[in-house]
Amino acid sequence: AQFIAGNFVSSLGVAVTPSSVVLTIVYNISGVAQSSSIGMTLSGSFWTGTWSSAGVDLGDATWTIATDLGPNPAMAGTIRVIDP
């Protein structure tokens, strides 16, 4: 799965550019929770990262994107694995 992150904004509403971005995905393999952390790459004005769902159980996987600019996730969500 390809992930793309766009603009990052500070708590003051100011556009910021992090120097590092990490995508973390939590998913199941054979019913056991696993996680992967993937460093994202800046490509133009977007950060991109790729995660392989090979061998992953069908169902929901949660993801977060964190930056070096703060301790809290900058973005979070859920994807549905339908064809690993």
Side-chain angles (χ1 to χ4, degrees):
Q2 183 80 34
F3 288 81
I4 300 173
N7 299 331
F8 293 90
V9 180
S10 74
S11 60
L12 301 174
V14 177
V16 294
T17 303
S19 59
S20 66
V21 176
V22 175
L23 165 67
T24 300
I25 304 174
V26 179
Y27 51 91
N28 288 326
I29 295 179
S30 299
V32 177
Q34 308 284 322
S35 68
S36 294
S37 293
I38 298 120
M40 299 183 79
T41 303
L42 184 60
S43 177
S45 60
F46 296 98
W47 290 87
T48 62
T50 303
W51 171 68
S52 173
S53 60
V56 172
D57 295 351
L58 300 179
D60 291 344
T62 59
W63 59 268
T64 58
I65 293 178
T67 74
D68 61 319
L69 299 175
N72 298 320
M75 299 175 201
T78 301
I79 61 169
R80 180 159 298 220
V81 177
I82 58 171
D83 185 11

